[in-house]
Amino acid sequence: MCSVILANSQCMDSLAVLRDTANLSVLNKKRWRLAFVTIYCSRAFFPRFKQHEILSRRWSKISPDPSSEITLDVVLEHPLFSGVDQSSLIKVVKDKSLDHLAKLGGVEGISSSLKTDLLYGITGDLEDISSRHETFGTNTYRKPPTQSFLHFVWEAFKDPTILILLLCAAFSLGFGIKENGPKEGWYDGGSIFVAVFLVISVSSISNFRQNRRFEKLSKVSSNIPVEVVRNSRRQQITIFEIVVGEVVCLKIGDQVPADGLFIEGHSLQVDESSMTGESDHVEINTYQRPFLFSGTKVADGYGKMIVTSVGMNTTWGEMMSTITRDSNEQTPLQMRLNKLTSSIGKVGLAVAFLVLLVLLVRYFTGSTEDDNGNKEFNGSRTKADDVISAVVRIITAAVTIVVVAIPEGLPLAVTLTLAYSMKRMMADQAMVRKLSACETMGSATTICTDKTGTLTLNQMKVTKFWLGKESLEGMQDYSLISSNVLELFYQGIGLNTTGSVYRSEISGTYLEFSGSPTEKAILSWAMLELNMDMEAVKRDCNVLNVEAFNSEKKRSGILMKKVEDGGSHVHWKGAAEMILAMCSHYYDVKGEIKDLNDFERVKFDQIIQGMAASSLRCIAFAHKQVIEVEHESGGNHPRIQENGLTLLGMVGLKDPCRPGVKRAVEDCQFAGVNVKMITGDNVFTAKAIATECGILHLNQEENDDTVVEGVEFRGYTDEERMEKVDKICVMARSSPFDKLLMVQCLKRKGHVVAVTGDGTNDAPALKEADIGLSMGIQGTEVAKESSDIVILDDNFASVATVLRWGRCVYNNIQKFIQFQLTVNVAALVINFVAAVSAGEVPLTAVQLLWVNLIMDTLGALALATERPTKELMNKKPVGRTEPLITNVMWRNLLAQALYQISVLLILQFRGESILNISRRVNDTLIFNTFVLCQVFNEFNARELEKKNVFEGIHKNKLFLGIVGITLILQVVMVEFLKKFADTERLNWGQWGLCMGIAAASWPICWLVKSIPVTDRPVSSFFSFKNF
């Protein structure tokens, strides 16, 4: 209190000074007085509050009485967004607090504070967006830190064989320096250290790059398009561009992009299972449940919301910040290869152990000699250091054999080819969400595809209009329509739609339509051809209830009331034959209502079939005036009547087939993949489109079960479905359940099934299929999350491209397996035979590590990045149980391995005498020939069956680059790193001999591929039969 009195006295003194100021006008005096008092008093009071805060902290330790504390509720408001702060906006949605919402003025109050127009949205200019970012944050999530390069280096160091090699290198280095001094003694151990370092570096860099690539693809897959209203027009932005105050449009299948509040809509139901775990759908409305949470999915209906929180301020953001995508996902092929690697590794370990045993026995029995021809071991006369050094050298050789024998390059090759394929597929309009789909797609035997947008362009245009039994074309015919029928059309089109129209304020003539292609086509036709004024229609009518369109009922309806006379009307729109079944009357051109008897109904059926046979989608409009509005049983919503309607008219929408789709279908069929079309259109439209796309052929009989309707397929018994499912090419008027049923039947018959889907209800079929393919443009977020691959351009030709890439992945892996197993077999046999017979291994530890580097990493890069060829589509699909190592591969690798073993063993035992060269030169010749054989064999591995292995090689610049780098490095190893690699320089003749021996593998490959192979897998005789 004393502080306050002192402050007041200081302020009064200041006022006295102001009164004595002369030569100032009264107004200026008042302004100066006000400014001075404000500044001085605030300076006087501020330190007093600080002192009070310190004192209160001290007293709080003594007296915890809450009544003695003063709580100041400080609201940090942005000058542009007064009346609301970030914490209040977060709290109102997270707590689902209607009371808190009411205190903030409801949705209208919040929108006013956020400078948002609920009808026209935010302005959306740069200044507006930046101020919202600054105040409320961005719609991005904090991700856990990505794995650094050192993490992959550490993972590589964990390999037991690498650790043993490093230990042996350390012993070798120590003994070498002790025996020969630091200048000469470091070569053996140091060379192993450098070689191991190279292997670890290349492996770590490769794995690090693939991890980064997967992360980039993960970011792309989470970049969801969202429809918002900005500056009175609907537009699409990405989910990361959403800001607080945004007006977002929601429809079935959408993901709610941020936390927010419901503005308006109809029948909006949300699946909150991702947040709560409850599978029941939550109905969203204005009064009881206006709260919408980020990450939830729209299950039914449509509506608008205003965003109140984004990014880390949402519950979903907090959850996502703790989740990271597992880039170490094991695909089925990788698991099979791990088993293969394990089996080969066991063989390698057995060989290495035998080599170790033989070398140790020969050393300790005095059967080995040094470079001077003296025995290496002379019992007690041999120094302990020499014995330990020799044992370390022997162990190093044995361990190095294990390193070469274990094909750790196989998993790396899979990772490389998958990463390369994913990148290329992205450029070819296919985004891979699950790695296993890349492999599985290569085995696909059946593709079940949608029609609209996949086989067709999804660019709808009204080309036919029937009013009653008469076809009307052009403005002259449209002028004959009676005014009352025209008004009903305006209501049925302008109100019963999820689309919208934006009219430019500048010209007033430019129209921009948004919504689904069907909605946009009908709206543009009504406004441009029928002169509908959509704003006037919405102004004159109030919508009471809406039944949103879904793929099961294939219709949508509204109940509306006219403002002028209060009359209630029902309007339905949907598939023509379904709307026709709900009608008992129809309007003619004059506007008279006629009875729809059986005879007339047959005529309308013929009209519908005629349009459908012309590949038109038939949409009908129906109306009914309601005398008394009824309510749904057990609910408050007014019921939309479904019978006794009057048919207004029908339109036919043309959706042209995509260019190139027929060729893509033919390519799939030629590759042994059956293409089935599953569509919601009627059977006549489905037949016409299927014939145009090449799925149905003119010579196919209509009664041979190639075309069925969903209800017919559903009605079959299990036995009938299993019998007929292979014959079916087209399923019309299908529901998502019918699609799921077909997928289940095909899988039970042993097919590998790929399914395309775009709707929320397609999710079960997409999950059930071996490969789920969702549509990137028309696909809902629910469909995309249920799929394995997203087709970004919704084009069937891209589906065929995915099939080609799937086969390419499988083929590239087989090429690398053949290449690597050839090296494994040759290296193991050569070292084992030499060790047993001569007591020494021809290839040193450093040389074997260099071979390991060539075949594991560089070989994987060269062979795993081959692009798909046309020949891949000439083969039948690879079966689920077909062995990974085929008869053709066994033939090729055994031929090359036997050739290499024969030549190198001849050089090992007779090379010195035949070529008249020293032992060190002979060892270098063996090493050089062995490496060059692998380089030349890389060309042979490019083609498993074709004799011409050089076809298209100029297109693979990476392959040629790797071969060139390998040859250059080999020259450096032999000619310039003599002490590092334990080699001697070779003359031109010796280089020519090495190149000649290696090049001989090409004609051998050509001859071997002329040898026919049996159909029975050779691998069935060995332990590899499961691979």
Side-chain angles (χ1 to χ4, degrees):
M1 182 60 74
C2 293
S3 301
V4 175
I5 292 168
L6 177 61
N8 285 333
S9 65
Q10 289 175 344
C11 291
M12 295 306 292
D13 293 340
S14 303
L15 289 172
V17 174
L18 281 172
R19 279 198 298 270
D20 295 336
T21 306
N23 302 321
L24 284 173
S25 66
V26 176
L27 182 61
N28 282 339
K29 282 182 180 180
K30 286 182 178 179
R31 287 176 178 171
W32 278 105
R33 186 183 297 117
L34 180 62
F36 190 85
V37 169
T38 303
I39 294 168
Y40 200 92
C41 290
S42 63
R43 288 175 63 189
F45 273 107
F46 185 76
R48 309 292 184 247
F49 275 117
K50 293 281 284 185
Q51 291 172 11
H52 174 72
E53 185 182 350
I54 294 167
L55 286 169
S56 65
R57 284 179 186 170
R58 290 174 182 171
W59 279 103
S60 65
K61 294 178 183 178
I62 303 168
S63 174
D65 183 11
S67 62
S68 64
E69 296 180 1
I70 299 171
T71 304
L72 296 177
D73 189 9
V74 180
V75 178
L76 300 175
E77 295 179 354
H78 193 277
L80 294 177
F81 306 105
S82 60
V84 70
D85 65 289
Q86 185 166 291
S87 60
S88 297
L89 291 174
I90 296 169
K91 188 177 180 182
V92 72
V93 176
K94 280 189 178 179
D95 295 349
K96 298 184 181 180
S97 175
L98 291 170
D99 293 337
H100 195 180
L101 178 60
K103 286 179 183 177
L104 294 173
V107 176
E108 292 78 9
I110 289 176
S111 66
S112 177
S113 300
L114 292 175
K115 300 293 186 290
T116 300
D117 188 301
L118 293 178
L119 187 60
Y120 300 120
I122 62 175
T123 58
D125 55 44
L126 288 175
E127 186 180 349
D128 183 35
I129 298 297
S130 62
S131 64
R132 293 175 190 275
H133 280 163
E134 181 186 344
T135 310
F136 303 108
T138 59
N139 199 31
T140 53
Y141 312 127
R142 282 198 304 267
K143 292 292 180 75
T146 54
Q147 293 171 333
S148 65
F149 175 70
L150 291 176
H151 168 81
F152 295 98
V153 174
W154 178 247
E155 287 297 316
F157 267 113
K158 287 182 179 179
D159 187 342
T161 53
I162 293 292
L163 292 174
I164 295 171
L165 275 176
L166 288 172
L167 188 65
C168 292
F171 277 113
S172 180
L173 185 65
F175 287 117
I177 291 173
K178 184 179 179 182
E179 188 174 333
N180 302 314
K183 191 173 182 180
E184 299 289 332
W186 70 272
Y187 286 120
D188 286 344
S191 300
I192 297 173
F193 268 123
V194 173
V196 170
F197 171 77
L198 278 174
V199 171
I200 289 174
S201 299
V202 173
S203 174
S204 301
I205 291 169
S206 177
N207 287 328
F208 177 73
R209 288 187 63 210
Q210 304 325 315
N211 181 265
R212 286 290 180 271
R213 187 169 292 171
F214 290 138
E215 283 184 1
K216 285 181 182 177
L217 287 170
S218 176
K219 287 179 183 177
V220 172
S221 65
S222 61
N223 193 6
I224 301 167
V226 180
E227 192 173 69
V228 299
V229 180
R230 285 186 178 179
N231 200 19
S232 76
R233 63 184 293 188
R234 284 196 185 190
Q235 52 188 281
Q236 264 200 357
I237 61 174
T238 69
I239 192 170
F240 303 125
E241 295 174 313
I242 293 285
V243 293
V244 169
E246 198 89 70
V247 174
V248 179
C249 303
L250 301 172
K251 61 182 183 297
I252 295 177
D254 283 351
Q255 176 178 311
V256 179
D259 285 0
L261 297 166
F262 178 71
I263 299 173
E264 62 174 4
H266 294 282
S267 308
L268 187 65
Q269 292 188 357
V270 174
D271 178 7
E272 294 185 353
S273 58
S274 59
M275 302 289 294
T276 63
E278 299 293 333
S279 58
D280 293 338
H281 296 161
V282 177
E283 185 175 345
I284 304 298
N285 52 49
T286 309
Y287 304 107
Q288 284 90 23
R289 291 177 179 268
F291 309 106
L292 288 155
F293 294 93
S294 176
T296 57
K297 307 293 189 302
V298 178
D300 199 6
Y302 59 89
K304 289 182 181 178
M305 66 173 281
I306 181 171
V307 174
T308 57
S309 303
V310 293
M312 291 304 299
N313 294 322
T314 65
T315 308
W316 184 253
E318 292 174 3
M319 288 170 55
M320 291 301 290
S321 66
T322 60
I323 298 172
T324 181
R325 176 175 173 150
D326 183 14
S327 58
N328 297 319
E329 171 192 355
Q330 286 281 303
T331 68
L333 184 56
Q334 282 176 321
M335 286 187 270
R336 289 174 73 186
L337 285 175
N338 286 340
K339 290 181 182 178
L340 178 62
T341 302
S342 176
S343 298
I344 296 173
K346 289 173 183 175
V347 174
L349 279 170
V351 171
F353 179 75
L354 287 173
V355 168
L356 175 66
L357 199 63
V358 169
L359 290 179
L360 287 174
V361 168
R362 290 182 67 89
Y363 174 77
F364 284 110
T365 55
S367 302
T368 57
E369 298 176 348
D370 58 18
D371 293 337
N372 300 320
N374 301 320
K375 284 185 178 182
E376 286 189 299
F377 182 76
N378 290 310
S380 57
R381 285 176 291 177
T382 307
K383 295 179 181 179
D385 286 352
D386 293 338
V387 174
I388 295 172
S389 179
V391 170
V392 167
R393 189 178 67 250
I394 291 169
I395 292 172
T396 303
V399 172
T400 309
I401 290 172
V402 175
V403 172
V404 176
I406 297 175
E408 59 268 321
L410 287 179
L412 174 64
V414 177
T415 306
L416 282 172
T417 191
L418 286 174
Y420 175 78
S421 302
M422 286 172 71
K423 183 180 178 182
R424 291 295 182 182
M425 286 167 74
M426 195 75 176
D428 289 340
Q429 303 299 315
M431 183 180 74
V432 179
R433 296 187 73 253
K434 294 181 183 175
L435 286 178
S436 56
C438 288
E439 307 161 5
T440 315
M441 193 65 191
S443 304
T445 58
T446 303
I447 298 175
C448 299
T449 176
D450 288 330
K451 176 188 78 70
T452 305
T454 308
L455 298 173
T456 62
L457 286 169
N458 209 10
Q459 296 174 358
M460 302 283 188
K461 184 179 180 182
V462 176
T463 58
K464 282 283 185 182
F465 174 43
W466 288 80
L467 185 54
K469 292 179 288 185
E470 294 186 37
S471 175
L472 305 181
E473 292 184 13
M475 299 295 289
Q476 188 174 357
D477 284 355
Y478 295 157
S479 63
L480 301 175
I481 304 172
S482 65
S483 58
N484 66 313
V485 173
L486 202 56
E487 183 184 359
L488 293 173
F489 260 113
Y490 291 164
Q491 294 170 4
I493 294 172
L495 300 176
N496 188 13
T497 181
T498 55
S500 65
V501 181
Y502 167 74
R503 190 187 296 272
S504 173
E505 294 180 2
I506 301 171
S507 64
T509 56
Y510 173 72
L511 297 174
E512 187 177 294
F513 301 94
S514 64
S516 69
T518 304
E519 297 285 7
K520 288 194 287 186
I522 294 173
L523 282 174
S524 63
W525 169 74
M527 294 195 72
L528 301 176
E529 301 288 334
L530 300 184
N531 298 318
M532 180 182 76
D533 185 345
M534 195 160 179
E535 289 84 358
V537 173
K538 289 188 174 181
R539 190 171 55 247
D540 296 340
C541 305
N542 292 325
V543 177
L544 303 178
N545 194 17
V546 173
E547 183 173 314
F549 179 88
N550 63 59
S551 53
E552 289 183 14
K553 293 186 176 181
K554 295 179 172 50
R555 67 189 185 193
S556 64
I558 61 162
L559 174 63
M560 49 138 300
K561 179 185 279 189
K562 292 184 70 175
V563 175
E564 184 181 355
D565 57 13
S568 298
H569 299 261
V570 166
H571 284 278
W572 284 95
K573 174 184 73 177
E577 66 268 32
M578 295 188 174
I579 297 296
L580 183 65
M582 299 161 64
C583 295
S584 57
H585 298 81
Y586 71 93
Y587 281 100
D588 63 8
V589 178
K590 297 177 182 177
E592 297 177 0
I593 297 177
K594 299 292 184 71
D595 185 48
L596 188 61
N597 54 38
D598 291 342
F599 178 73
E600 300 291 347
R601 198 176 292 275
V602 170
K603 286 189 176 181
F604 279 107
D605 283 335
Q606 290 172 348
I607 292 170
I608 293 169
Q609 291 173 18
M611 284 197 287
S614 302
S615 304
L616 299 182
R617 171 176 283 187
C618 309
I619 305 293
F621 299 87
H623 158 263
K624 181 179 183 180
Q625 185 166 3
V626 180
I627 307 300
E628 184 179 349
V629 176
E630 301 174 359
H631 284 76
E632 296 175 357
S633 57
N636 298 322
H637 297 298
R639 190 171 70 85
I640 305 174
Q641 296 186 24
E642 302 178 5
N643 49 26
L645 305 178
T646 303
L647 183 68
L648 282 173
M650 296 179 291
V651 293
L653 289 85
K654 181 68 175 176
D655 185 13
C657 282
R658 286 183 178 272
V661 73
K662 188 171 184 178
R663 176 66 184 274
V665 169
E666 288 173 352
D667 287 346
C668 291
Q669 291 171 339
F670 189 73
V673 180
N674 189 18
V675 180
K676 301 179 186 293
M677 186 178 84
I678 303 176
T679 177
D681 282 331
N682 75 38
V683 67
F684 299 99
T685 307
K687 281 182 184 177
I689 294 291
T691 304
E692 196 175 342
C693 295
I695 294 172
L696 271 182
H697 302 289
L698 295 173
N699 59 354
Q700 285 181 306
E701 298 291 335
E702 290 191 8
N703 58 357
D704 66 353
D705 298 325
T706 55
V707 181
V708 298
E709 289 191 328
V711 65
E712 183 184 351
F713 183 73
R714 218 177 307 145
Y716 290 153
T717 63
D718 286 343
E719 293 75 17
E720 288 175 326
R721 268 196 295 270
M722 294 299 289
E723 181 187 345
K724 297 180 179 181
V725 70
D726 281 331
K727 300 176 186 177
I728 295 171
C729 295
V730 177
M731 187 191 290
R733 283 291 178 240
S734 65
S735 69
F737 176 75
D738 299 326
K739 185 184 284 189
L740 175 63
L741 202 57
M742 175 167 276
V743 172
Q744 290 170 339
C745 289
L746 288 167
K747 286 183 72 175
R748 279 164 58 193
K749 293 206 77 172
H751 289 279
V752 179
V753 187
V755 170
T756 68
D758 55 12
T760 303
N761 292 330
D762 288 330
L766 289 169
K767 285 184 177 179
E768 180 70 23
D770 296 288
I771 313 104
L773 304 162
S774 64
M775 301 296 111
I777 299 172
Q778 289 300 314
T780 64
E781 287 310 310
V782 174
K784 289 176 187 176
E785 285 196 3
S786 302
S787 66
D788 306 304
I789 297 173
V790 180
I791 306 300
L792 298 175
D793 60 354
D794 291 15
N795 192 347
F796 185 82
S798 298
V799 177
T801 303
V802 171
L803 177 66
R804 193 177 290 112
W805 270 109
R807 293 190 173 191
C808 180
V809 167
Y810 199 84
N811 192 245
N812 285 350
I813 298 301
Q814 287 186 314
K815 292 175 185 177
F816 183 70
I817 289 172
Q818 176 183 298
F819 169 72
Q820 188 161 45
L821 289 186
T822 303
V823 186
N824 292 139
V825 171
L828 284 174
V829 173
I830 291 165
N831 280 285
F832 179 71
V833 172
V836 171
S837 58
E840 60 182 10
V841 289
L843 300 174
T844 66
V846 172
Q847 291 170 354
L848 283 173
L849 285 170
W850 170 237
V851 173
N852 185 67
L853 184 67
I854 292 173
M855 71 177 187
D856 273 3
T857 306
L858 298 181
L861 270 172
L863 294 171
T865 54
E866 289 278 356
R867 299 204 67 173
T869 59
K870 292 180 180 178
E871 287 74 18
L872 289 173
M873 298 297 277
N874 296 338
K875 302 175 183 177
K876 297 300 178 187
V878 179
R880 289 180 190 270
T881 56
E882 189 169 323
L884 197 56
I885 307 175
T886 62
N887 291 1
V888 170
M889 292 167 65
W890 281 117
R891 178 195 66 191
N892 296 342
L893 75 88
L894 288 175
Q896 291 295 331
L898 286 172
Y899 168 69
Q900 291 180 22
I901 290 166
S902 303
V903 171
L904 294 174
L905 286 178
I906 290 171
L907 287 175
Q908 169 70 17
F909 295 110
R910 294 287 182 266
E912 294 176 43
S913 58
I914 294 173
L915 301 173
N916 195 23
I917 52 178
S918 67
R919 179 182 171 187
R920 283 181 61 82
V921 172
N922 189 55
D923 286 346
T924 304
L925 210 63
I926 292 171
F927 166 60
N928 199 35
T929 304
F930 184 64
V931 170
L932 291 177
C933 279
Q934 312 322 318
V935 173
F936 279 74
N937 195 36
E938 275 187 274
F939 289 87
N940 296 330
R942 289 188 69 244
E943 295 291 345
L944 297 178
E945 296 183 59
K946 286 176 65 176
K947 292 183 178 180
N948 183 7
V949 296
F950 304 105
E951 186 178 333
I953 197 168
H954 62 283
K955 295 179 181 177
N956 194 340
K957 303 291 191 298
L958 183 61
F959 180 91
L960 294 174
I962 287 171
V963 169
I965 289 169
T966 305
L967 289 173
I968 292 169
L969 290 176
Q970 181 63 18
V971 171
V972 172
M973 285 279 286
V974 172
E975 298 295 325
F976 302 103
L977 299 176
K978 294 169 55 180
K979 292 189 176 180
F980 171 77
D982 196 19
T983 55
E984 287 290 327
R985 300 188 71 170
L986 302 178
N987 58 38
W988 286 104
Q990 290 162 348
W991 270 101
L993 176 65
C994 294
M995 295 290 283
I997 293 171
S1001 65
W1002 288 348
I1004 290 171
C1005 173
W1006 191 87
L1007 290 170
V1008 166
K1009 287 180 180 177
S1010 303
I1011 301 171
V1013 291
T1014 61
D1015 292 331
R1016 184 183 176 185
V1018 174
S1019 57
S1020 62
F1021 298 105
F1022 303 100
S1023 60
F1024 308 134
K1025 61 185 177 182
N1026 295 323
F1027 308 118

